[in-house]
Amino acid sequence: MARRRQLYEGKAKILFEGPEPGTLVQYFKDDATAGNGAKHGIITGKGVLNNRISEYIMLRLQEIGIPTHFIRRINMREQLIREVEIIPLEIVVRNIAAGSIAKRLGIPEGTRLPRAIVEYYYKNDALGDPMVAEEHITAFGWACPHDMDDMVAMSLRVNDFLTGLFAGVGISLVDFKLEFGRVWEGEEMRIILADEISPDNCRLWDAKTNEKLDKDRFRRDMGQVEEAYQEVARRLGILPEAGNGDHKGSDTMQ
């Protein structure tokens, strides 16, 4: 499609103005970062895979009544999405101890948690996306109690659905991060799911071997990052179109 005016560039995506009012074009880059941008690299084909995986998951969530910003995929790297007012929070749902919760609380990585745990982080790269409590969120006006209720309820529904979806293809959903935004329909405001859902913001382990199939392979210099993303796409039945060398590599983990 014709290139439009760029509105924002993040670590993994670029947003352009959309063809109609209230829409944006979301472009998926191959860039990979860790440590809030301290570590940077390029994973060939990652943007193509994340575009397809996120499209697949967003459509499945819409089928069960979760409102999302996704409208349609445009091409291998771009999606048409609804423009939203992003709420400056990351909602993290944890099923198995990994990453920061294992370090903070001294829990061995891989320990299944007694129940799904929901955590909140303030979206601010300069501050390192600090963990916050609901009291901070409501006191500083980032979201009201009703907004929080909606986001937590949707996050837990997403967790229930994705846990089953991934279990069906032999993958354990360890944890994941969600972002939400506000949209107005006339005088009514509602909160919808935004951003993306992909191996960039989900921890996904092989259910039998616990082999990591997500961005932790990049964070920890484990190698075969592209192959891990490809394996997730393969198990979900997603086959990226071939085209101009935009997607390379084997279909499965070696």
Side-chain angles (χ1 to χ4, degrees):
M1 65 177 284
R3 178 60 64 219
R4 297 178 180 273
R5 183 167 61 95
Q6 180 175 322
L7 302 176
Y8 170 81
E9 181 168 2
K11 295 188 285 287
K13 295 182 291 297
I14 304 174
L15 294 179
F16 298 93
E17 65 180 359
E20 300 173 358
T23 67
L24 299 172
V25 173
Q26 180 169 254
Y27 175 91
F28 288 76
K29 303 193 294 183
D30 284 346
D31 296 62
T33 62
N36 288 306
K39 180 180 181 180
H40 178 268
I42 300 293
I43 302 170
T44 304
K46 178 176 81 76
V48 175
L49 290 163
N50 282 354
N51 185 20
R52 294 300 302 272
I53 292 169
S54 190
E55 172 200 22
Y56 176 82
I57 292 175
M58 290 289 189
L59 287 173
R60 295 297 302 273
L61 291 173
Q62 288 175 2
E63 289 173 1
I64 66 164
I66 300 290
T68 85
H69 73 166
F70 179 83
I71 299 173
R72 62 180 173 86
R73 183 169 58 87
I74 298 170
N75 54 41
M76 292 180 72
R77 289 184 178 271
E78 294 180 321
Q79 297 179 356
L80 184 66
I81 61 172
R82 295 186 66 177
E83 184 175 12
V84 304
E85 176 194 321
I86 287 289
I87 296 170
L89 298 171
E90 296 175 350
I91 311 297
V92 174
V93 183
R94 301 184 184 275
N95 300 307
I96 297 170
S100 64
I101 193 171
K103 296 175 183 176
R104 288 197 318 267
L105 303 181
I107 303 172
E109 185 169 88
T111 302
R112 185 162 291 278
L113 301 172
R115 59 177 176 82
I117 293 176
V118 179
E119 298 176 342
Y120 314 116
Y121 295 82
Y122 176 46
K123 277 176 58 64
N124 187 309
D125 286 344
L127 300 176
D129 298 334
M131 187 176 180
V132 294
E134 188 166 351
E135 286 80 2
H136 299 108
I137 295 166
T138 55
F140 294 120
W142 301 327
C144 70
H146 180 71
D147 295 340
M148 294 301 300
D149 290 344
D150 286 348
M151 288 189 288
V152 171
M154 278 193 276
S155 297
L156 292 174
R157 283 194 68 202
V158 170
N159 184 49
D160 287 344
F161 180 79
L162 291 186
T163 295
L165 176 71
F166 282 118
V169 294
I171 294 175
S172 298
L173 179 61
V174 175
D175 59 38
F176 60 96
K177 177 198 76 174
L178 297 179
E179 295 185 24
F180 293 89
R182 299 182 180 94
V183 293
W184 278 262
E185 296 167 348
E187 297 296 316
E188 296 294 319
M189 185 279 291
R190 66 172 179 152
I191 291 176
I192 66 174
L193 184 63
D195 195 42
E196 67 175 296
I197 300 179
S198 74
D200 265 13
N201 53 15
C202 299
R203 279 193 173 90
L204 303 169
W205 295 355
D206 181 89
K208 293 182 178 178
T209 66
N210 285 341
E211 182 172 17
K212 293 175 174 60
L213 303 174
D214 55 65
K215 200 168 77 169
D216 269 352
R217 300 194 71 87
F218 172 77
R219 294 184 185 100
R220 303 184 185 188
D221 296 316
M222 299 173 70
Q224 293 188 300
V225 186
E226 180 188 350
E227 289 85 353
Y229 283 53
Q230 290 174 13
E231 179 66 7
V232 173
R234 185 189 69 79
R235 294 196 194 185
L236 292 173
I238 300 166
L239 299 175
E241 302 96 332
N244 302 321
D246 206 5
H247 175 74
K248 303 174 184 178
S250 61
D251 288 336
T252 59
M253 293 286 288
Q254 301 298 313

